[in-house]
PDB file of all heavy atoms in Angstrom:
ATOM      1  N   ARG A 193      37.680  -4.005  22.680  1.00 95.00           N
ATOM      2  CA  ARG A 193      37.337  -3.815  21.275  1.00 95.00           C
ATOM      3  C   ARG A 193      38.417  -3.039  20.533  1.00 95.00           C
ATOM      4  O   ARG A 193      38.745  -3.340  19.390  1.00 95.00           O
ATOM      5  CB  ARG A 193      35.991  -3.105  21.143  1.00 95.00           C
ATOM      6  CG  ARG A 193      34.819  -3.979  21.540  1.00 95.00           C
ATOM      7  CD  ARG A 193      33.521  -3.236  21.412  1.00 95.00           C
ATOM      8  NE  ARG A 193      32.394  -4.107  21.729  1.00 95.00           N
ATOM      9  CZ  ARG A 193      31.141  -3.811  21.481  1.00 95.00           C
ATOM     10  NH1 ARG A 193      30.829  -2.649  20.919  1.00 95.00           N
ATOM     11  NH2 ARG A 193      30.177  -4.656  21.793  1.00 95.00           N
ATOM     12  N   THR A 238      35.333   1.365  11.674  1.00 93.00           N
ATOM     13  CA  THR A 238      35.196   0.322  12.692  1.00 93.00           C
ATOM     14  C   THR A 238      35.057   0.914  14.092  1.00 93.00           C
ATOM     15  O   THR A 238      34.253   0.435  14.892  1.00 93.00           O
ATOM     16  CB  THR A 238      36.394  -0.643  12.632  1.00 93.00           C
ATOM     17  OG1 THR A 238      36.526  -1.129  11.296  1.00 93.00           O
ATOM     18  CG2 THR A 238      36.212  -1.812  13.579  1.00 93.00           C
ATOM     19  N   GLN A 239      35.811   1.951  14.394  1.00 91.00           N
ATOM     20  CA  GLN A 239      35.700   2.567  15.717  1.00 91.00           C
ATOM     21  C   GLN A 239      34.333   3.197  15.923  1.00 91.00           C
ATOM     22  O   GLN A 239      33.734   3.062  16.988  1.00 91.00           O
ATOM     23  CB  GLN A 239      36.795   3.617  15.907  1.00 91.00           C
ATOM     24  CG  GLN A 239      38.149   2.987  16.107  1.00 91.00           C
ATOM     25  CD  GLN A 239      39.205   3.998  16.405  1.00 91.00           C
ATOM     26  OE1 GLN A 239      39.152   4.632  17.448  1.00 91.00           O
ATOM     27  NE2 GLN A 239      40.165   4.154  15.500  1.00 91.00           N
ATOM     28  N   LYS A 240      33.835   3.856  14.903  1.00 88.00           N
ATOM     29  CA  LYS A 240      32.548   4.529  15.020  1.00 88.00           C
ATOM     30  C   LYS A 240      31.406   3.521  15.163  1.00 88.00           C
ATOM     31  O   LYS A 240      30.488   3.719  15.963  1.00 88.00           O
ATOM     32  CB  LYS A 240      32.317   5.417  13.806  1.00 88.00           C
ATOM     33  CG  LYS A 240      31.068   6.241  13.885  1.00 88.00           C
ATOM     34  CD  LYS A 240      30.983   7.210  12.734  1.00 88.00           C
ATOM     35  CE  LYS A 240      29.725   8.042  12.876  1.00 88.00           C
ATOM     36  NZ  LYS A 240      29.714   9.168  11.992  1.00 88.00           N
ATOM     37  N   LYS A 241      31.473   2.426  14.414  1.00 89.00           N
ATOM     38  CA  LYS A 241      30.366   1.467  14.375  1.00 89.00           C
ATOM     39  C   LYS A 241      30.499   0.328  15.388  1.00 89.00           C
ATOM     40  O   LYS A 241      29.526  -0.366  15.669  1.00 89.00           O
ATOM     41  CB  LYS A 241      30.246   0.847  12.972  1.00 89.00           C
ATOM     42  CG  LYS A 241      30.050   1.838  11.865  1.00 89.00           C
ATOM     43  CD  LYS A 241      28.684   2.453  11.923  1.00 89.00           C
ATOM     44  CE  LYS A 241      28.490   3.378  10.724  1.00 89.00           C
ATOM     45  NZ  LYS A 241      27.272   4.119  10.806  1.00 89.00           N
ATOM     46  N   PHE A 242      31.699   0.114  15.945  1.00 89.00           N
ATOM     47  CA  PHE A 242      31.913  -1.044  16.819  1.00 89.00           C
ATOM     48  C   PHE A 242      32.572  -0.673  18.148  1.00 89.00           C
ATOM     49  O   PHE A 242      31.988  -0.831  19.211  1.00 89.00           O
ATOM     50  CB  PHE A 242      32.748  -2.099  16.072  1.00 89.00           C
ATOM     51  CG  PHE A 242      33.141  -3.286  16.901  1.00 89.00           C
ATOM     52  CD1 PHE A 242      32.196  -4.206  17.342  1.00 89.00           C
ATOM     53  CD2 PHE A 242      34.465  -3.493  17.244  1.00 89.00           C
ATOM     54  CE1 PHE A 242      32.556  -5.301  18.106  1.00 89.00           C
ATOM     55  CE2 PHE A 242      34.837  -4.584  17.999  1.00 89.00           C
ATOM     56  CZ  PHE A 242      33.890  -5.494  18.434  1.00 89.00           C
ATOM     57  N   THR A 243      33.773  -0.169  18.093  1.00 91.00           N
ATOM     58  CA  THR A 243      34.565   0.046  19.305  1.00 91.00           C
ATOM     59  C   THR A 243      33.937   1.059  20.259  1.00 91.00           C
ATOM     60  O   THR A 243      33.840   0.820  21.454  1.00 91.00           O
ATOM     61  CB  THR A 243      35.991   0.488  18.940  1.00 91.00           C
ATOM     62  OG1 THR A 243      36.550  -0.460  18.039  1.00 91.00           O
ATOM     63  CG2 THR A 243      36.872   0.594  20.176  1.00 91.00           C
ATOM     64  N   PHE A 244      33.565   2.212  19.732  1.00 92.00           N
ATOM     65  CA  PHE A 244      33.037   3.292  20.561  1.00 92.00           C
ATOM     66  C   PHE A 244      31.592   3.633  20.200  1.00 92.00           C
ATOM     67  O   PHE A 244      31.176   4.785  20.343  1.00 92.00           O
ATOM     68  CB  PHE A 244      33.912   4.538  20.420  1.00 92.00           C
ATOM     69  CG  PHE A 244      35.315   4.339  20.913  1.00 92.00           C
ATOM     70  CD1 PHE A 244      36.359   4.149  20.012  1.00 92.00           C
ATOM     71  CD2 PHE A 244      35.599   4.320  22.257  1.00 92.00           C
ATOM     72  CE1 PHE A 244      37.660   3.961  20.458  1.00 92.00           C
ATOM     73  CE2 PHE A 244      36.898   4.139  22.713  1.00 92.00           C
ATOM     74  CZ  PHE A 244      37.925   3.958  21.817  1.00 92.00           C
ATOM     75  N   LYS A 245      30.836   2.645  19.771  1.00 86.00           N
ATOM     76  CA  LYS A 245      29.455   2.932  19.373  1.00 86.00           C
ATOM     77  C   LYS A 245      28.643   3.386  20.592  1.00 86.00           C
ATOM     78  O   LYS A 245      29.005   3.142  21.733  1.00 86.00           O
ATOM     79  CB  LYS A 245      28.808   1.717  18.715  1.00 86.00           C
ATOM     80  CG  LYS A 245      28.403   0.613  19.664  1.00 86.00           C
ATOM     81  CD  LYS A 245      27.729  -0.496  18.890  1.00 86.00           C
ATOM     82  CE  LYS A 245      27.197  -1.560  19.834  1.00 86.00           C
ATOM     83  NZ  LYS A 245      26.465  -2.576  19.133  1.00 86.00           N
TER      84      LYS A 245
END
Side-chain angles (χ1 to χ4, degrees):
R193 289 179 177 192
T238 307
Q239 287 185 66
K240 185 173 181 167
K241 303 289 184 187
F242 175 68
T243 306
F244 297 103
K245 75 178 185 176

